[in-house]
Amino acid sequence: MNIAKRLFQKTRRRRTAFFLLADIALIALSMYAAFLLRFEGRIPLKFVEDLWILILIAVAVKVPIFYLQRLYHISWSYVSVRELMSVFKGGFYSSLLLGTALFILRTTPVFIGFPRSILFIDFFLTVTLIGGFRSAKRVYLQFAKRFPMEGRRTLIVGAGDAGEQLLRSMLKSGHSDYLPIGFVDDDPRKLSTSIQGIKVLGTRKEIPRLVEAYDIEELLIAIPSVSSKVIKETVEIGRKAKVKSMKILPDISEILSGSVGLANVREVRLEDLLGREPVKIDTQGIRNYLKGKTVLVTGAAGSIGSELCRQVAKFQPRELMMLDHEETGLFKIERELKEKLPGMERIAVLGDIRDEGKMERVFTQYKPEVVFHAAAYKHVRMMKEHPDEAVKNNIFGTRVLGETAITAGAEKFILISTDKAVNPVGVMGMSKRVAEMVIQDLNQRGMTRFSAVRFGNVLGSRGSVVPIFREQIKKRGPVTVTDSQMRRYFMMTSEAVLLVLQAGAISEGGEIFVLDMGEPVNILDLAREMIRLSGYEPDTDIPITITGPGEDEKLFEDILTAEEGTEATEYEQIFVARMNTGLSSVELSRHLESLEKLVEQEKDAGEIKEALRGIVGGW
């Protein structure tokens, strides 16, 4: 470490000395050239004799100013407009100071009759020479490595800031895998223009013609601010053009941070094609109710729970409690947060939400103020076969946790619900609907504010269709789809978590929050898209088999029932469902007691399912 530090300091001293000597020479040259230009090549003898005094004064004035402008800390290879502005300001300030000094000394014999225009000419020459010298190496490198001679022949989609930054990365790299051939952009004002010597060849619709004409091998999509519809159209055009490879620059936030480069480019993913407009959230509102609080996330090892932990951690809670009964997943998320945020207080709790004694001890010891309840069994077919476990975990586990939260004086409790709780036909959906009813009932009992967040399928979550399809594709099929007409709502994990956090911020108690989830996705189309993204052709390389829907599966998931309506919130994509359970608190309690007895008596699945239907059927 000390050796590296000494080498760095030695290199820095050499660079400073190099620029210092160069500046002294250039300052002297500027002053001498200023006199030559002022007197048209014939400097009067009076000034020739005293010119060295003027040069010494100029050096004494300008070098300290340049040092204060940090001109001796500039990297020669990476000079930018900001550094050149520092050169301009250094030249301006030093010329101003030099002019002041000469004004004060105007009555001395050396400076009598000194032409003031010299200062203006000297300023211009100093800025030009020193700025040119500072940027010389970058200009040389730019032209010396102007175009990589090897690499995949690449067409960049998008001639905006993102495309320009990607091109710059290609040109700067001496060993780029990409050979930039041209841009395409739908803005007619950009057509036939050039960006760093690379021409805008046409629009997106002309990609097939350009691919053939220029033998394009790679398509780089550099339009991160557009909708997924445009991305999908571009990918389809690329496929029709039979481009060998397509990659994408995905996130506009990377551009805003100035970090865009070839390292940000990745393969096109499913979420790029199925994504929606991002949920707009009130970051400050979320921070206000999470910062400095003890926050508990149940189901912390799951897809939603682990992402909740990551996002909550960003809002600086006093303590983040992570609860799950799966030790491996809990260990992984705890270790991940420890590496990323070592200064944050983390508490990993291994336990079951159905364990009433354990939950009481946890709440008594740590007193969580905000609870995000993501622990649930969610696999439809598994819950059909084991309805007793669905009831014990999804319903009674929620009740245990909610009642304990009230006793411990928690401020807010947010339940993660699902679109399958609407008009439920299966055990999983019915158990989640009853869980919603439980938290609405609990909301009337104490000071804790209970609410639920209802959303559709999360892309890539464990047990969902996407990882199942991915595994089937990996085995070269067949990919199994239950019905060609089956449709589902999908969202990104980050979207789901943002909704949950926002719901907690605006919750007043008793609400069922619903997200405007856009258009549902046909599952057969989803399967075909995933096969294409894997480089295969559906029904040709990998077969798709229609298996028929199960008893507990609906072809189309609802977000609201026909009886429900919505009320708008201040966030345009978040609504509150107008709920009417049709059951009083006493009636709900009586139903739950009967259901609990059935589970304890280990009754068959049919009886448990009928009991669930009796609770949700009339609401």
Side-chain angles (χ1 to χ4, degrees):
M1 188 70 177
N2 290 333
I3 295 174
K5 187 176 181 179
R6 285 198 297 270
L7 286 173
F8 172 77
Q9 291 173 342
K10 187 176 181 180
T11 302
R12 185 172 178 177
R13 285 195 296 269
R14 285 179 176 177
R15 182 180 60 193
T16 301
F18 172 75
F19 279 117
L20 181 62
L21 292 173
D23 283 354
I24 292 172
L26 292 174
I27 290 168
L29 179 61
S30 297
M31 184 61 73
Y32 180 71
F35 273 91
L36 281 177
L37 291 172
R38 170 61 179 81
F39 294 106
E40 299 179 354
R42 294 185 178 182
I43 305 174
L45 186 61
K46 173 186 182 310
F47 293 114
V48 171
E49 293 175 350
D50 297 326
L51 186 56
W52 65 273
I53 298 176
L54 291 170
I55 290 173
L56 287 176
I57 293 174
V59 169
V61 169
K62 292 184 179 184
V63 168
I65 297 291
F66 290 167
Y67 182 83
L68 292 174
Q69 288 295 315
R70 300 183 64 81
L71 295 188
Y72 302 110
H73 296 81
I74 293 175
S75 172
W76 206 10
S77 302
Y78 299 100
V79 173
S80 67
V81 173
R82 178 177 296 179
E83 280 75 32
L84 293 179
M85 281 300 298
S86 295
V87 172
F88 178 85
K89 289 191 289 185
F92 176 77
Y93 296 144
S94 60
S95 293
L96 194 65
L97 189 59
L98 181 61
T100 303
L102 294 179
F103 176 77
I104 295 171
L105 300 171
R106 68 186 184 281
T107 57
T108 60
V110 175
F111 300 106
I112 293 175
F114 181 84
R116 286 170 292 181
S117 58
I118 290 290
L119 293 175
F120 295 99
I121 300 172
D122 175 67
F123 163 71
F124 174 78
L125 291 174
T126 299
V127 170
T128 302
L129 290 175
I130 291 181
F133 181 73
R134 288 295 194 285
S135 56
K137 186 174 181 179
R138 175 164 182 175
V139 172
Y140 167 75
L141 292 174
Q142 189 80 2
F143 282 95
K145 298 180 180 179
R146 185 60 191 170
F147 296 106
M149 299 304 294
E150 298 179 352
R152 295 187 296 275
R153 298 176 65 83
T154 301
L155 194 62
I156 302 173
V157 181
D161 290 340
E164 188 274 334
Q165 290 184 56
L166 277 182
L167 175 61
R168 192 189 311 160
S169 294
M170 293 178 193
L171 299 180
K172 187 183 296 183
S173 173
H175 306 283
S176 173
D177 293 331
Y178 305 95
L179 176 63
I181 301 300
F183 287 93
V184 293
D185 200 291
D186 289 344
D187 187 345
R189 296 170 298 179
K190 294 179 180 177
L191 298 180
S192 299
T193 60
S194 291
I195 300 174
Q196 298 197 40
I198 301 296
K199 193 174 181 180
V200 181
L201 300 173
T203 64
R204 286 186 303 128
K205 291 182 179 179
E206 297 178 85
I207 287 175
R209 176 183 66 81
L210 296 172
V211 167
E212 184 175 357
Y214 293 93
D215 194 23
I216 299 298
E217 301 172 275
E218 183 103 40
L219 213 60
L220 275 187
I221 304 172
I223 41 178
S225 59
V226 299
S227 67
S228 61
K229 181 181 178 182
V230 175
I231 300 295
K232 188 173 183 178
E233 288 174 356
T234 306
V235 170
E236 287 297 328
I237 294 170
R239 284 175 180 158
K240 290 178 181 177
K242 297 182 179 179
V243 180
K244 295 178 182 178
S245 174
M246 287 182 282
K247 293 181 180 176
I248 190 170
L249 185 68
D251 192 358
I252 188 65
S253 64
E254 296 174 12
I255 296 175
L256 295 176
S257 64
S259 61
V260 168
L262 295 177
N264 304 115
V265 173
R266 60 165 171 75
E267 299 290 339
V268 177
R269 296 175 184 166
L270 185 63
E271 52 263 38
D272 299 320
L273 309 180
L274 299 180
R276 305 172 302 103
E277 292 300 316
V279 177
K280 297 177 182 178
I281 63 166
D282 175 12
T283 304
Q284 189 56 49
I286 295 174
R287 189 179 305 279
N288 288 344
Y289 88 100
L290 292 182
K291 185 176 181 179
K293 300 286 181 66
T294 297
V295 180
L296 169 63
V297 177
T298 71
S303 306
I304 295 294
S306 60
E307 184 63 20
L308 269 168
C309 291
R310 295 183 191 100
Q311 296 295 338
V312 167
K314 295 178 182 178
F315 292 95
Q316 300 173 305
R318 181 175 65 251
E319 294 175 322
L320 174 59
M321 298 175 59
M322 298 168 285
L323 171 66
D324 207 294
H325 65 193
E326 185 196 338
E327 60 170 345
T328 303
L330 186 62
F331 171 76
K332 286 181 179 179
I333 184 62
E334 200 275 338
R335 184 177 61 178
E336 176 188 332
L337 292 179
K338 181 179 180 180
E339 292 174 355
K340 292 181 179 179
L341 299 166
M344 188 191 70
E345 189 69 30
R346 302 166 314 282
I347 303 166
V349 180
L350 186 64
D352 194 319
I353 59 172
R354 297 175 295 183
D355 186 341
E356 192 169 347
K358 178 71 175 280
M359 292 304 101
E360 287 179 358
R361 291 193 297 274
V362 168
F363 273 77
T364 300
Q365 181 177 355
Y366 298 107
K367 296 191 180 302
E369 294 152 283
V370 180
V371 179
F372 293 104
H373 178 33
Y377 287 140
K378 61 182 181 179
H379 199 286
V380 172
R381 293 190 179 182
M382 288 293 288
M383 293 304 97
K384 175 188 173 183
E385 295 175 11
H386 304 280
D388 56 331
E389 293 300 320
V391 168
K392 287 190 286 186
N393 195 75
N394 294 358
I395 297 175
F396 295 122
T398 298
R399 187 176 67 176
V400 166
L401 207 66
E403 289 175 343
T404 309
I406 292 173
T407 303
E411 296 174 10
K412 292 190 176 185
F413 185 110
I414 298 93
L415 167 72
I416 310 302
S417 191
T418 170
D419 55 2
K420 292 178 176 61
V422 184
N423 291 324
V425 297
V427 170
M428 199 283 277
M430 286 191 285
S431 68
K432 293 299 285 184
R433 174 58 196 135
V434 175
E436 290 180 353
M437 297 165 70
V438 166
I439 65 112
Q440 287 184 302
D441 180 58
L442 290 172
N443 189 64
Q444 305 173 44
R445 297 194 195 176
M447 299 299 292
T448 304
R449 286 173 281 177
F450 289 83
S451 60
V453 184
R454 184 189 289 172
F455 48 79
N457 300 278
V458 176
L459 279 174
S461 65
R462 293 185 301 179
S464 71
V465 69
V466 171
I468 293 173
F469 283 173
R470 190 174 289 126
E471 189 63 30
Q472 291 174 335
I473 292 168
K474 187 177 180 180
K475 295 177 180 178
R476 299 297 295 270
V479 174
T480 56
V481 177
T482 53
D483 193 283
S484 61
Q485 300 303 310
M486 181 169 281
R487 292 180 292 167
R488 291 290 184 268
Y489 290 103
F490 283 95
M491 63 165 53
M492 306 274 287
T493 307
S494 57
E495 287 182 306
V497 168
L498 287 174
L499 174 62
V500 172
L501 295 180
Q502 189 64 81
I506 63 178
S507 171
E508 295 296 330
E511 305 97 338
I512 305 294
F513 291 98
V514 179
L515 178 65
D516 178 5
M517 298 185 63
E519 296 298 320
V521 177
N522 181 280
I523 299 299
L524 181 58
D525 291 341
L526 177 72
R528 287 172 175 160
E529 191 61 62
M530 288 188 66
I531 292 171
R532 292 190 186 102
L533 285 174
S534 300
Y536 303 109
E537 191 60 33
D539 299 316
T540 301
D541 301 318
I542 294 181
I544 298 177
T545 304
I546 306 298
T547 62
E551 178 187 344
D552 287 355
E553 290 183 292
K554 294 189 288 185
L555 291 181
F556 179 68
E557 297 289 5
D558 306 298
I559 294 297
L560 296 167
T561 68
E563 291 77 25
E564 291 177 345
T566 60
E567 297 176 358
T569 69
E570 57 186 299
Y571 303 96
E572 60 183 25
Q573 293 170 297
I574 302 176
F575 301 89
V576 177
R578 290 196 292 268
M579 307 296 293
N580 179 15
T581 66
L583 294 176
S584 66
S585 180
V586 174
E587 289 172 322
L588 177 62
S589 180
R590 187 170 64 248
H591 276 292
L592 292 179
E593 286 178 11
S594 299
L595 185 61
E596 192 168 18
K597 288 179 181 178
L598 289 176
V599 173
E600 289 174 352
Q601 295 167 6
E602 299 182 352
K603 296 295 183 179
D604 62 42
E607 288 188 64
I608 294 174
K609 187 171 181 178
E610 284 302 315
L612 285 171
R613 189 176 287 116
I615 301 175
V616 303
W619 62 284

